[in-house]
Amino acid sequence: MPAWAALEGGVRRLALAWHRRSGKDDISLHWTAVSAMTRVGGYWHMLPAANQARKAIWDAVNPHTGRRRIDEAFPAEIRETTREQDMFIRFLNGSTWQVVGSDNFNSLVGSPPVGVVFSEYALADPGAWAFLRPILAENDGWAIFISTPRGRNHFSRLVDYARSSDDWFGQVLTVDDTQAIAQTVIARERRELVAERGEKEAAAIIAQEYFCDFDAAI
């Protein structure tokens, strides 16, 4: 809710380091749906690689509902056309949404987006943000950076900046904050990882994936 309130309050840049399976992409998809209905323009959901975008977003099914995630965020009633091959949706009001990859951002030159979600940004090419930054600055667009930590890199520095900036919203959420995954489940994961990879690596994986530790030694 703090992240959603920041968006509703007009914040145009968010950096969210949330634990695995916390709903990072879901909140971003639903905010995109709101934005697309209130401001006509182009919107992108960007994964680190184009070939993983289809599995992670376009074809992904919500295990709790059995429905595709894009169908929950963008119901048929607001769509004009859906192009499966291009992972592209045009809405009835003229807005568009597409799933793309940061590994081929140079090929996306054309209609400039007014909203971009950088999903798994810790694994993405930061050059994509350098390329899109002036476009979103010129059209007063928004950008949301979501990821689970992957060490001290461009994403960790962005989160640190966002948390100290008046113009950004930055947040780190662990399973202790959300209670989205039971401690018994995490304990079971730890036991399995210890058996598979040893105590040290198991502790580091749990710290990174569930407790957003940027310094986990993986």
Side-chain angles (χ1 to χ4, degrees):
M1 287 310 298
W4 190 272
L7 288 163
E8 286 191 330
V11 177
R12 316 300 285 171
R13 304 284 184 270
L14 283 79
L16 308 176
W18 292 1
H19 68 83
R20 186 68 56 204
R21 307 306 304 163
S22 58
K24 298 182 292 294
D25 283 301
D26 288 324
I27 188 175
S28 300
L29 287 170
H30 284 278
W31 177 254
T32 300
V34 171
S35 298
M37 294 299 101
T38 54
R39 179 183 180 183
V40 175
Y43 297 86
W44 294 352
H45 200 102
M46 182 173 281
L47 275 293
N51 61 5
Q52 74 182 121
R54 181 172 295 278
K55 290 187 297 182
I57 298 297
W58 188 262
D59 290 335
V61 174
N62 183 339
H64 300 290
T65 64
R67 297 182 62 203
R68 287 172 72 181
R69 298 168 84 176
I70 61 169
D71 292 337
E72 291 183 330
F74 312 121
E77 289 82 359
I78 66 173
R79 301 190 201 180
E80 179 182 286
T81 58
T82 302
R83 300 207 302 259
E84 289 281 342
Q85 183 173 352
D86 299 326
M87 295 184 288
F88 174 92
I89 294 173
R90 183 181 301 280
F91 301 107
L92 292 171
N93 69 338
S95 287
T96 63
W97 177 79
Q98 189 168 15
V99 185
V100 298
S102 64
D103 57 339
N104 66 340
F105 61 87
N106 284 318
S107 67
L108 300 172
V109 177
S111 177
V114 297
V116 180
V117 176
F118 293 85
S119 183
E120 295 296 347
Y121 187 62
L123 302 175
D125 180 357
W129 172 227
F131 172 76
L132 291 168
R133 180 196 302 269
I135 295 174
L136 296 175
E138 186 275 331
N139 64 29
D140 193 30
W142 54 258
I144 302 175
F145 302 84
I146 55 175
S147 189
T148 301
R150 284 293 183 274
R152 290 288 173 183
N153 58 9
H154 57 281
F155 178 60
S156 69
R157 292 189 290 273
L158 192 67
V159 172
D160 288 342
Y161 175 78
R163 297 176 79 183
S164 64
S165 171
D166 293 334
D167 299 325
W168 286 62
F169 176 86
Q171 187 180 50
V172 176
L173 287 181
T174 74
V175 288
D176 286 339
D177 300 312
T178 68
Q179 302 294 310
I181 301 175
Q183 292 297 325
T184 54
V185 173
I186 297 174
R188 183 187 66 208
E189 292 283 302
R190 186 188 298 274
R191 290 194 300 271
E192 293 174 358
L193 283 166
V194 168
E196 177 187 350
R197 303 195 183 191
E199 184 68 44
K200 185 175 181 180
E201 191 171 353
I205 292 172
I206 293 294
Q208 175 180 272
E209 298 299 306
Y210 295 116
F211 295 94
C212 294
D213 186 352
F214 286 98
D215 298 312
I218 298 179

